[in-house]
PDB file of all heavy atoms in Angstrom:
ATOM      1  N   ALA J 431     120.256  89.184  97.570  1.00  0.00           N
ATOM      2  CA  ALA J 431     119.093  88.648  96.851  1.00  0.00           C
ATOM      3  C   ALA J 431     119.221  88.906  95.354  1.00  0.00           C
ATOM      4  O   ALA J 431     118.928  88.033  94.523  1.00  0.00           O
ATOM      5  CB  ALA J 431     117.815  89.281  97.390  1.00  0.00           C
ATOM      6  N   MET J 432     119.660  90.100  94.990  1.00  0.00           N
ATOM      7  CA  MET J 432     119.813  90.423  93.576  1.00  0.00           C
ATOM      8  C   MET J 432     120.896  89.554  92.940  1.00  0.00           C
ATOM      9  O   MET J 432     120.732  89.057  91.818  1.00  0.00           O
ATOM     10  CB  MET J 432     120.149  91.908  93.417  1.00  0.00           C
ATOM     11  CG  MET J 432     119.022  92.825  93.873  1.00  0.00           C
ATOM     12  SD  MET J 432     119.387  94.574  93.680  1.00  0.00           S
ATOM     13  CE  MET J 432     119.334  94.737  91.905  1.00  0.00           C
ATOM     14  N   ALA J 433     122.002  89.350  93.662  1.00  0.00           N
ATOM     15  CA  ALA J 433     123.068  88.487  93.148  1.00  0.00           C
ATOM     16  C   ALA J 433     122.577  87.049  93.012  1.00  0.00           C
ATOM     17  O   ALA J 433     122.922  86.342  92.049  1.00  0.00           O
ATOM     18  CB  ALA J 433     124.274  88.549  94.077  1.00  0.00           C
ATOM     19  N   THR J 434     121.761  86.615  93.970  1.00  0.00           N
ATOM     20  CA  THR J 434     121.215  85.261  93.935  1.00  0.00           C
ATOM     21  C   THR J 434     120.313  85.073  92.729  1.00  0.00           C
ATOM     22  O   THR J 434     120.372  84.046  92.034  1.00  0.00           O
ATOM     23  CB  THR J 434     120.439  84.958  95.230  1.00  0.00           C
ATOM     24  OG1 THR J 434     121.298  85.141  96.350  1.00  0.00           O
ATOM     25  CG2 THR J 434     119.895  83.540  95.222  1.00  0.00           C
ATOM     26  N   MET J 435     119.476  86.051  92.472  1.00  0.00           N
ATOM     27  CA  MET J 435     118.581  85.952  91.325  1.00  0.00           C
ATOM     28  C   MET J 435     119.352  85.986  90.010  1.00  0.00           C
ATOM     29  O   MET J 435     118.979  85.322  89.040  1.00  0.00           O
ATOM     30  CB  MET J 435     117.523  87.052  91.389  1.00  0.00           C
ATOM     31  CG  MET J 435     116.463  86.774  92.455  1.00  0.00           C
ATOM     32  SD  MET J 435     115.078  87.898  92.436  1.00  0.00           S
ATOM     33  CE  MET J 435     115.782  89.233  93.376  1.00  0.00           C
ATOM     34  N   ASP J 436     120.436  86.736  89.992  1.00  0.00           N
ATOM     35  CA  ASP J 436     121.300  86.743  88.802  1.00  0.00           C
ATOM     36  C   ASP J 436     121.878  85.357  88.545  1.00  0.00           C
ATOM     37  O   ASP J 436     121.879  84.867  87.407  1.00  0.00           O
ATOM     38  CB  ASP J 436     122.435  87.755  88.973  1.00  0.00           C
ATOM     39  CG  ASP J 436     121.976  89.192  88.790  1.00  0.00           C
ATOM     40  OD1 ASP J 436     120.877  89.385  88.230  1.00  0.00           O
ATOM     41  OD2 ASP J 436     122.701  90.105  89.215  1.00  0.00           O
ATOM     42  N   ILE J 437     122.378  84.725  89.603  1.00  0.00           N
ATOM     43  CA  ILE J 437     123.015  83.415  89.439  1.00  0.00           C
ATOM     44  C   ILE J 437     121.984  82.355  89.061  1.00  0.00           C
ATOM     45  O   ILE J 437     122.283  81.418  88.308  1.00  0.00           O
ATOM     46  CB  ILE J 437     123.795  83.010  90.720  1.00  0.00           C
ATOM     47  CG1 ILE J 437     124.880  81.971  90.383  1.00  0.00           C
ATOM     48  CG2 ILE J 437     122.869  82.486  91.793  1.00  0.00           C
ATOM     49  CD1 ILE J 437     126.024  82.535  89.598  1.00  0.00           C
ATOM     50  N   ILE J 438     120.767  82.498  89.554  1.00  0.00           N
ATOM     51  CA  ILE J 438     119.697  81.573  89.162  1.00  0.00           C
ATOM     52  C   ILE J 438     119.417  81.709  87.667  1.00  0.00           C
ATOM     53  O   ILE J 438     119.265  80.727  86.941  1.00  0.00           O
ATOM     54  CB  ILE J 438     118.419  81.838  89.987  1.00  0.00           C
ATOM     55  CG1 ILE J 438     118.611  81.357  91.424  1.00  0.00           C
ATOM     56  CG2 ILE J 438     117.210  81.151  89.351  1.00  0.00           C
ATOM     57  CD1 ILE J 438     117.468  81.734  92.346  1.00  0.00           C
ATOM     58  N   LYS J 439     119.369  82.941  87.218  1.00  0.00           N
ATOM     59  CA  LYS J 439     119.115  83.209  85.800  1.00  0.00           C
ATOM     60  C   LYS J 439     120.233  82.621  84.938  1.00  0.00           C
ATOM     61  O   LYS J 439     119.976  81.999  83.899  1.00  0.00           O
ATOM     62  CB  LYS J 439     119.026  84.724  85.591  1.00  0.00           C
ATOM     63  CG  LYS J 439     118.397  85.130  84.277  1.00  0.00           C
ATOM     64  CD  LYS J 439     116.895  84.966  84.308  1.00  0.00           C
ATOM     65  CE  LYS J 439     116.275  85.519  83.036  1.00  0.00           C
ATOM     66  NZ  LYS J 439     114.815  85.297  82.986  1.00  0.00           N
ATOM     67  N   LEU J 440     121.466  82.811  85.373  1.00  0.00           N
ATOM     68  CA  LEU J 440     122.608  82.292  84.627  1.00  0.00           C
ATOM     69  C   LEU J 440     122.649  80.768  84.628  1.00  0.00           C
ATOM     70  O   LEU J 440     123.260  80.152  83.750  1.00  0.00           O
ATOM     71  CB  LEU J 440     123.911  82.846  85.219  1.00  0.00           C
ATOM     72  CG  LEU J 440     124.163  84.344  84.999  1.00  0.00           C
ATOM     73  CD1 LEU J 440     125.359  84.801  85.818  1.00  0.00           C
ATOM     74  CD2 LEU J 440     124.382  84.640  83.521  1.00  0.00           C
ATOM     75  N   SER J 441     121.994  80.163  85.606  1.00  0.00           N
ATOM     76  CA  SER J 441     121.969  78.701  85.712  1.00  0.00           C
ATOM     77  C   SER J 441     120.828  78.084  84.907  1.00  0.00           C
ATOM     78  O   SER J 441     120.611  76.876  84.962  1.00  0.00           O
ATOM     79  CB  SER J 441     121.849  78.278  87.179  1.00  0.00           C
ATOM     80  OG  SER J 441     122.924  78.789  87.933  1.00  0.00           O
ATOM     81  N   GLY J 442     120.080  78.924  84.211  1.00  0.00           N
ATOM     82  CA  GLY J 442     118.994  78.418  83.380  1.00  0.00           C
ATOM     83  C   GLY J 442     117.636  78.438  84.035  1.00  0.00           C
ATOM     84  O   GLY J 442     116.646  77.981  83.458  1.00  0.00           O
ATOM     85  N   GLY J 443     117.563  78.968  85.263  1.00  0.00           N
ATOM     86  CA  GLY J 443     116.280  79.062  85.945  1.00  0.00           C
ATOM     87  C   GLY J 443     115.753  80.488  85.985  1.00  0.00           C
ATOM     88  O   GLY J 443     116.368  81.411  85.439  1.00  0.00           O
ATOM     89  N   ASN J 444     114.620  80.669  86.645  1.00  0.00           N
ATOM     90  CA  ASN J 444     114.042  81.992  86.851  1.00  0.00           C
ATOM     91  C   ASN J 444     113.602  82.114  88.307  1.00  0.00           C
ATOM     92  O   ASN J 444     112.955  81.195  88.833  1.00  0.00           O
ATOM     93  CB  ASN J 444     112.834  82.221  85.931  1.00  0.00           C
ATOM     94  CG  ASN J 444     113.241  82.467  84.491  1.00  0.00           C
ATOM     95  OD1 ASN J 444     113.920  83.435  84.187  1.00  0.00           O
ATOM     96  ND2 ASN J 444     112.834  81.571  83.604  1.00  0.00           N
ATOM     97  N   PRO J 445     113.932  83.206  88.976  1.00  0.00           N
ATOM     98  CA  PRO J 445     113.539  83.353  90.384  1.00  0.00           C
ATOM     99  C   PRO J 445     112.024  83.392  90.539  1.00  0.00           C
ATOM    100  O   PRO J 445     111.331  84.067  89.786  1.00  0.00           O
ATOM    101  CB  PRO J 445     114.188  84.676  90.796  1.00  0.00           C
ATOM    102  CG  PRO J 445     114.444  85.412  89.524  1.00  0.00           C
ATOM    103  CD  PRO J 445     114.694  84.368  88.485  1.00  0.00           C
ATOM    104  N   ALA J 446     111.526  82.639  91.512  1.00  0.00           N
ATOM    105  CA  ALA J 446     110.083  82.571  91.758  1.00  0.00           C
ATOM    106  C   ALA J 446     109.629  83.600  92.785  1.00  0.00           C
ATOM    107  O   ALA J 446     108.432  83.811  92.965  1.00  0.00           O
ATOM    108  CB  ALA J 446     109.695  81.170  92.231  1.00  0.00           C
ATOM    109  N   ASN J 447     110.609  84.201  93.475  1.00  0.00           N
ATOM    110  CA  ASN J 447     110.237  85.157  94.517  1.00  0.00           C
ATOM    111  C   ASN J 447     111.453  85.964  94.954  1.00  0.00           C
ATOM    112  O   ASN J 447     112.597  85.609  94.662  1.00  0.00           O
ATOM    113  CB  ASN J 447     109.650  84.434  95.734  1.00  0.00           C
ATOM    114  CG  ASN J 447     110.665  83.521  96.389  1.00  0.00           C
ATOM    115  OD1 ASN J 447     110.808  82.357  95.998  1.00  0.00           O
ATOM    116  ND2 ASN J 447     111.404  84.035  97.367  1.00  0.00           N
ATOM    117  N   PHE J 448     111.166  87.030  95.656  1.00  0.00           N
ATOM    118  CA  PHE J 448     112.172  87.760  96.431  1.00  0.00           C
ATOM    119  C   PHE J 448     111.801  87.528  97.885  1.00  0.00           C
ATOM    120  O   PHE J 448     110.680  87.827  98.290  1.00  0.00           O
ATOM    121  CB  PHE J 448     112.132  89.250  96.085  1.00  0.00           C
ATOM    122  CG  PHE J 448     112.925  90.123  97.026  1.00  0.00           C
ATOM    123  CD1 PHE J 448     114.239  90.447  96.749  1.00  0.00           C
ATOM    124  CD2 PHE J 448     112.359  90.628  98.194  1.00  0.00           C
ATOM    125  CE1 PHE J 448     114.974  91.251  97.608  1.00  0.00           C
ATOM    126  CE2 PHE J 448     113.079  91.428  99.059  1.00  0.00           C
ATOM    127  CZ  PHE J 448     114.393  91.743  98.762  1.00  0.00           C
ATOM    128  N   LEU J 449     112.728  86.968  98.681  1.00  0.00           N
ATOM    129  CA  LEU J 449     112.432  86.720 100.087  1.00  0.00           C
ATOM    130  C   LEU J 449     113.674  87.011 100.917  1.00  0.00           C
ATOM    131  O   LEU J 449     114.684  86.313 100.799  1.00  0.00           O
ATOM    132  CB  LEU J 449     111.954  85.283 100.314  1.00  0.00           C
ATOM    133  CG  LEU J 449     111.213  85.023 101.641  1.00  0.00           C
ATOM    134  CD1 LEU J 449     110.428  83.722 101.563  1.00  0.00           C
ATOM    135  CD2 LEU J 449     112.145  84.970 102.833  1.00  0.00           C
ATOM    136  N   ASP J 450     113.579  88.032 101.748  1.00  0.00           N
ATOM    137  CA  ASP J 450     114.666  88.431 102.639  1.00  0.00           C
ATOM    138  C   ASP J 450     114.260  88.082 104.065  1.00  0.00           C
ATOM    139  O   ASP J 450     113.315  88.663 104.608  1.00  0.00           O
ATOM    140  CB  ASP J 450     114.922  89.932 102.487  1.00  0.00           C
ATOM    141  CG  ASP J 450     116.068  90.430 103.362  1.00  0.00           C
ATOM    142  OD1 ASP J 450     116.684  89.596 104.054  1.00  0.00           O
ATOM    143  OD2 ASP J 450     116.333  91.642 103.356  1.00  0.00           O
ATOM    144  N   VAL J 451     114.960  87.107 104.664  1.00  0.00           N
ATOM    145  CA  VAL J 451     114.617  86.686 106.026  1.00  0.00           C
ATOM    146  C   VAL J 451     115.246  87.592 107.078  1.00  0.00           C
ATOM    147  O   VAL J 451     114.974  87.456 108.268  1.00  0.00           O
ATOM    148  CB  VAL J 451     115.030  85.222 106.295  1.00  0.00           C
ATOM    149  CG1 VAL J 451     114.244  84.275 105.430  1.00  0.00           C
ATOM    150  CG2 VAL J 451     116.528  85.039 106.101  1.00  0.00           C
ATOM    151  N   GLY J 452     116.106  88.514 106.656  1.00  0.00           N
ATOM    152  CA  GLY J 452     116.725  89.431 107.601  1.00  0.00           C
ATOM    153  C   GLY J 452     117.854  88.778 108.377  1.00  0.00           C
ATOM    154  O   GLY J 452     118.396  87.741 108.001  1.00  0.00           O
ATOM    155  N   GLY J 453     118.186  89.382 109.498  1.00  0.00           N
ATOM    156  CA  GLY J 453     119.340  88.919 110.265  1.00  0.00           C
ATOM    157  C   GLY J 453     119.049  87.797 111.231  1.00  0.00           C
ATOM    158  O   GLY J 453     119.956  87.254 111.843  1.00  0.00           O
ATOM    159  N   THR J 454     117.773  87.426 111.386  1.00  0.00           N
ATOM    160  CA  THR J 454     117.412  86.361 112.326  1.00  0.00           C
ATOM    161  C   THR J 454     116.839  85.190 111.548  1.00  0.00           C
ATOM    162  O   THR J 454     115.665  85.188 111.197  1.00  0.00           O
ATOM    163  CB  THR J 454     116.375  86.855 113.352  1.00  0.00           C
ATOM    164  OG1 THR J 454     116.860  88.051 113.961  1.00  0.00           O
ATOM    165  CG2 THR J 454     116.128  85.808 114.405  1.00  0.00           C
ATOM    166  N   ALA J 455     117.652  84.200 111.259  1.00  0.00           N
ATOM    167  CA  ALA J 455     117.206  83.055 110.469  1.00  0.00           C
ATOM    168  C   ALA J 455     117.084  81.825 111.361  1.00  0.00           C
ATOM    169  O   ALA J 455     117.755  80.816 111.164  1.00  0.00           O
ATOM    170  CB  ALA J 455     118.173  82.806 109.318  1.00  0.00           C
ATOM    171  N   ASP J 456     116.214  81.896 112.384  1.00  0.00           N
ATOM    172  CA  ASP J 456     116.011  80.748 113.258  1.00  0.00           C
ATOM    173  C   ASP J 456     115.024  79.775 112.616  1.00  0.00           C
ATOM    174  O   ASP J 456     114.487  80.026 111.533  1.00  0.00           O
ATOM    175  CB  ASP J 456     115.519  81.202 114.635  1.00  0.00           C
ATOM    176  CG  ASP J 456     114.272  82.072 114.559  1.00  0.00           C
ATOM    177  OD1 ASP J 456     113.517  81.962 113.566  1.00  0.00           O
ATOM    178  OD2 ASP J 456     114.053  82.875 115.484  1.00  0.00           O
ATOM    179  N   ALA J 457     114.769  78.650 113.295  1.00  0.00           N
ATOM    180  CA  ALA J 457     113.936  77.590 112.720  1.00  0.00           C
ATOM    181  C   ALA J 457     112.532  78.088 112.392  1.00  0.00           C
ATOM    182  O   ALA J 457     111.980  77.774 111.332  1.00  0.00           O
ATOM    183  CB  ALA J 457     113.871  76.409 113.682  1.00  0.00           C
ATOM    184  N   GLU J 458     111.938  78.852 113.307  1.00  0.00           N
ATOM    185  CA  GLU J 458     110.576  79.343 113.089  1.00  0.00           C
ATOM    186  C   GLU J 458     110.503  80.240 111.859  1.00  0.00           C
ATOM    187  O   GLU J 458     109.592  80.119 111.035  1.00  0.00           O
ATOM    188  CB  GLU J 458     110.102  80.111 114.328  1.00  0.00           C
ATOM    189  CG  GLU J 458     108.674  80.629 114.205  1.00  0.00           C
ATOM    190  CD  GLU J 458     108.240  81.432 115.426  1.00  0.00           C
ATOM    191  OE1 GLU J 458     109.064  81.611 116.349  1.00  0.00           O
ATOM    192  OE2 GLU J 458     107.079  81.887 115.447  1.00  0.00           O
ATOM    193  N   ARG J 459     111.470  81.136 111.729  1.00  0.00           N
ATOM    194  CA  ARG J 459     111.494  82.073 110.605  1.00  0.00           C
ATOM    195  C   ARG J 459     111.754  81.340 109.282  1.00  0.00           C
ATOM    196  O   ARG J 459     111.122  81.623 108.260  1.00  0.00           O
ATOM    197  CB  ARG J 459     112.580  83.117 110.864  1.00  0.00           C
ATOM    198  CG  ARG J 459     112.393  84.434 110.139  1.00  0.00           C
ATOM    199  CD  ARG J 459     113.419  85.428 110.678  1.00  0.00           C
ATOM    200  NE  ARG J 459     113.328  86.711 110.039  1.00  0.00           N
ATOM    201  CZ  ARG J 459     112.481  87.671 110.374  1.00  0.00           C
ATOM    202  NH1 ARG J 459     111.623  87.468 111.355  1.00  0.00           N
ATOM    203  NH2 ARG J 459     112.468  88.829 109.736  1.00  0.00           N
ATOM    204  N   VAL J 460     112.683  80.397 109.308  1.00  0.00           N
ATOM    205  CA  VAL J 460     112.996  79.625 108.113  1.00  0.00           C
ATOM    206  C   VAL J 460     111.794  78.780 107.693  1.00  0.00           C
ATOM    207  O   VAL J 460     111.476  78.658 106.501  1.00  0.00           O
ATOM    208  CB  VAL J 460     114.225  78.733 108.352  1.00  0.00           C
ATOM    209  CG1 VAL J 460     114.427  77.764 107.183  1.00  0.00           C
ATOM    210  CG2 VAL J 460     115.473  79.585 108.540  1.00  0.00           C
TER     211      VAL J 460
END
């Protein structure tokens, strides 16, 4: 998540949230 927010910043954007879905990313959770 931290690396993702860094890359968003470098791309000219700003992260709108921190969201960790954990190890189970099924349809309901997504």
Side-chain angles (χ1 to χ4, degrees):
M432 295 181 71
T434 303
M435 286 188 277
D436 284 343
I437 202 71
I438 288 173
K439 196 76 174 176
L440 290 171
S441 301
N444 286 298
N447 63 273
F448 168 93
L449 198 162
D450 181 2
V451 295
T454 307
D456 54 25
E458 182 182 2
R459 204 171 179 83
V460 171

